[in-house]
Amino acid sequence: MDFYNYIRDIQDFPSDGITFKDITPLLKDKDALKAATEEMLRLIGEVEVDKVVGMESRGFFFAPLLASKLNAGFVPVRKPGKLPFQRVSKTYALEYGHDTLEIHADSISKGEYVLIHDDVLATGGTAKATCDLVEALGGVVVQCNFLLELKFLEGSKKLNGYSIKSLLQY
Ligand code: AMP
């Protein structure tokens, strides 16, 4: 299946100069959704996974699907003020300004194997902050997994040392 046909470019969204990769055409097609999930599982391979961590908000589409197939739990990483229980936070630099991500303090146990999933790898800041949160809890990142990677933004450089897999590359 040619998954590229199911990714739509939206110019100047959410702000001028950004070409947004809209994955909703893929999500709404039952065959494409199933096939993309299966292909991402193939990229994950035989590694042991205890938890799949997905980042707010588009990481939530596939992360629980992958977790269920991998016989693993799902853990959300969220923007500040959303998680109700005791949290660990990580603030990281953006091109202009800062952002913060949070994870529940009891979501990962020391030594657990963790797969990180998001829809898009862009500059890598979100994924790197998520790796830092997982490791702060004692988790071991086994792979950073993405539906698609914007190669020209070189996000993989920020994830140096981690296994990075993406189904589609631009
Ligand atoms: P980054 O931290 O720069 O790697 O950005 C990754 C996050 O921003 C992901 O959660 C994506 O959902 C989102 N994102 C960044 N750039 C795009 C884009 N061009 N199209 C769609 N989502 C994007």
Side-chain angles (χ1 to χ4, degrees):
M1 179 173 284
D2 191 354
F3 296 112
Y4 289 92
N5 292 335
Y6 295 87
I7 309 292
R8 177 163 62 189
D9 277 2
I10 309 287
Q11 304 300 336
D12 299 319
F13 181 89
S15 46
D16 284 355
I18 306 277
T19 302
F20 187 83
K21 295 291 182 196
D22 178 17
I23 68 167
T24 62
L26 185 146
L27 293 172
K28 78 173 180 183
D29 185 285
K30 63 181 167 60
D31 296 325
L33 176 64
K34 196 172 187 181
T37 308
E38 278 162 12
E39 284 301 306
M40 279 192 283
L41 285 165
R42 200 180 50 75
L43 289 178
I44 293 163
E46 294 301 309
V47 290
E48 191 179 332
V49 179
D50 298 304
K51 299 276 168 60
V52 177
V53 170
M55 293 86 119
E56 181 170 354
S57 55
R58 286 181 300 276
F60 295 172
F61 296 142
F62 282 103
L65 288 176
L66 296 173
S68 176
K69 292 274 187 185
L70 291 165
N71 202 25
F74 164 67
V75 173
V77 158
R78 301 211 60 180
K79 291 170 185 152
K82 304 281 189 184
L83 290 172
F85 190 62
Q86 196 186 338
R87 297 162 298 275
V88 175
S89 303
K90 174 79 190 181
T91 297
Y92 60 101
L94 300 173
E95 195 177 353
Y96 303 102
H98 289 85
D99 228 336
T100 300
L101 289 174
E102 297 187 333
I103 195 167
H104 269 156
D106 68 346
S107 59
I108 292 164
S109 303
K110 204 169 177 347
E112 279 193 317
Y113 295 117
V114 177
L115 177 96
I116 289 172
H117 170 82
D118 204 356
D119 66 335
V120 175
L121 173 60
T123 66
T126 307
K128 178 62 172 67
T130 302
C131 290
D132 292 346
L133 287 172
V134 167
E135 288 169 358
L137 297 179
V140 179
V141 177
V142 294
Q143 188 183 111
C144 297
N145 173 281
F146 305 91
L147 180 66
L148 66 91
E149 178 177 355
L150 304 177
K151 286 251 174 205
F152 55 93
L153 293 176
E154 301 187 320
S156 60
K157 282 191 180 162
K158 260 197 202 118
L159 299 173
N160 191 20
Y162 294 101
S163 164
I164 305 163
K165 299 278 164 113
S166 54
L167 185 58
L168 311 173
Q169 294 84 33
Y170 290 85

